[in-house]
Amino acid sequence: METRIEILSPEKIDDELLNQIRVWADEVLKKVELKSQPPYLCITVWKTMEKFRTFSMREKEMLGVVTGEETDFLATHDAWRGYPRIHVCQERLKGIPSAILQGVIHHEIGHALKHGSLEFYTFRFSGILQEVGRASGLDLPLLQQCVYLFSIAIKDQEVVKWLSQIGLSFNQIALLNHLISDTEEEKTTWEFIQDSPALRKIAFSTFLKTLLPIEAMIAIGIEDAKTLKDQWNEAYGWLFEKEREGLSLFSQFIMNLEGKTFQERLEQAVLRLITDPYL
């Protein structure tokens, strides 16, 4: 069954943008067998960040969702209501080059196809995970934050790898290059928290959001991925070399967990991060 895409716009949005989003979405869907497509996909295009944030807060309260502030991303995805949804904000995307916007939509459609069920947005906190977390200074709220951020990194790695395998790596490289072009905010945060063992783990989970996809592209031989890795190392040059090398080695460990379910991979990855003496 071909996916029925519904594009909603609670406020007046330029028809040109709405049409372009559908074109970019179809560029991904046409490469996927019909049996692998979800029956329904909802894309909501917001005009202002204020309206988007208000909706997001209300939706989380209604559904009991406890996660970070996703509206800071270029676009977001979820399956909180049992089907894949994508949210895009016209104001947030203002001034972003077309090639990067195309990469954003491809990326979010990839999530809808690969992570379009509630399984990928609900997290288990086993007894051993909580025990190891407490021993490392991660109480339950901090552990929840770490797991949530890590889930983003793993899902992004899976999507970027898959898009690269079906011939859509070019715009993912452009998107990743954009994401690592300014790490000043992360650097400032790092300077405040780097001496806290628990907060370091959470920060590393954030840094992996871009590094894991890059390492995945290198592993499958995508042209220009090694150059992008060099750019990542330069962008995060304020980390010690041993920390950057540790994250790279840790990424290799994560990619070797592909035979497990998402929840199993996520728990194993967080356990390894928490106990890794080099991070």
Side-chain angles (χ1 to χ4, degrees):
M1 179 185 298
E2 186 174 354
T3 297
R4 180 171 71 88
I5 300 178
E6 183 176 22
I7 299 182
L8 304 177
S9 50
E11 305 168 90
K12 177 61 178 175
I13 301 293
D14 295 339
D15 288 338
E16 183 179 357
L17 175 61
L18 298 177
N19 292 334
Q20 188 62 75
I21 288 174
R22 183 174 292 275
V23 168
W24 287 334
D26 286 339
E27 288 174 349
V28 180
L29 292 172
K30 72 181 182 182
K31 290 179 172 286
V32 182
E33 294 183 9
L34 292 180
K35 64 181 181 180
S36 300
Q37 296 186 18
Y40 173 68
L41 167 60
C42 179
I43 303 175
T44 303
V45 185
W46 300 89
K47 189 175 185 66
T48 66
M49 289 297 296
E50 180 183 3
K51 293 286 187 180
F52 181 23
R53 289 192 176 110
T54 299
F55 166 82
S56 180
M57 291 175 59
R58 186 170 60 245
E59 187 81 344
K60 287 182 178 182
E61 290 176 1
M62 183 182 302
L63 299 175
V65 175
V66 183
T67 61
E69 184 48 77
E70 294 90 352
T71 57
D72 289 336
F73 297 138
L74 290 175
T76 70
H77 59 273
D78 68 65
W80 297 339
R81 292 190 176 273
Y83 57 87
R85 300 190 301 181
I86 294 171
H87 294 275
V88 180
C89 179
Q90 184 178 32
E91 181 183 8
R92 178 71 178 86
L93 300 179
K94 186 177 181 180
I96 304 293
S98 179
I100 295 172
L101 294 183
Q102 184 180 21
V104 169
I105 300 303
H106 285 181
H107 191 91
E108 297 306 320
I109 296 296
H111 280 300
L113 294 171
K114 302 286 286 185
H115 309 123
S117 65
L118 198 55
E119 169 196 0
F120 297 97
Y121 305 91
T122 55
F123 310 119
R124 297 196 305 257
F125 297 90
S126 67
I128 187 171
L129 181 59
Q130 293 188 56
E131 181 180 344
V132 171
R134 283 193 298 270
S136 302
L138 290 159
D139 58 15
L140 187 56
L142 288 178
L143 183 61
Q144 288 175 329
Q145 187 177 2
C146 187
V147 169
Y148 165 68
L149 291 170
F150 215 122
S151 75
I152 294 175
I154 291 179
K155 285 183 286 190
D156 279 5
Q157 173 227 326
E158 293 177 346
V159 163
V160 170
K161 178 181 177 180
W162 177 73
L163 288 170
S164 298
Q165 289 173 325
I166 63 173
L168 296 175
S169 64
F170 174 79
N171 294 104
Q172 294 310 294
I173 289 176
L175 174 57
L176 284 163
N177 197 17
H178 172 76
L179 293 175
I180 65 175
S181 63
D182 183 4
T183 62
E184 194 61 36
E185 185 175 342
E186 290 171 287
K187 177 185 177 183
T188 300
T189 301
W190 179 251
E191 290 172 349
F192 279 103
I193 60 91
Q194 60 181 313
D195 293 327
S196 167
L199 296 181
R200 282 172 62 91
K201 302 296 184 180
I202 294 175
F204 286 140
S205 297
T206 302
F207 304 157
L208 286 164
K209 173 177 168 56
T210 48
L211 180 59
L212 258 178
I214 293 171
E215 294 285 8
M217 286 194 289
I218 291 174
I220 60 175
I222 297 300
E223 187 177 358
D224 295 332
K226 289 184 178 180
T227 300
L228 188 59
K229 172 70 177 297
D230 292 337
Q231 293 170 338
W232 188 94
N233 277 316
E234 182 177 350
Y236 288 87
W238 37 266
L239 290 173
F240 287 126
E241 184 177 359
K242 66 177 182 179
E243 292 166 337
R244 286 182 275 117
E245 290 177 351
L247 285 170
S248 185
L249 289 173
F250 183 69
S251 298
Q252 307 305 316
F253 169 78
I254 301 303
M255 291 189 289
N256 288 329
L257 294 176
E258 291 188 6
K260 308 291 184 179
T261 67
F262 175 73
Q263 292 292 344
E264 290 173 335
R265 291 200 309 278
L266 180 59
E267 177 161 325
Q268 287 187 49
V270 174
L271 281 170
R272 176 66 176 263
L273 175 66
I274 293 174
T275 58
D276 193 321
Y278 300 103
L279 294 176

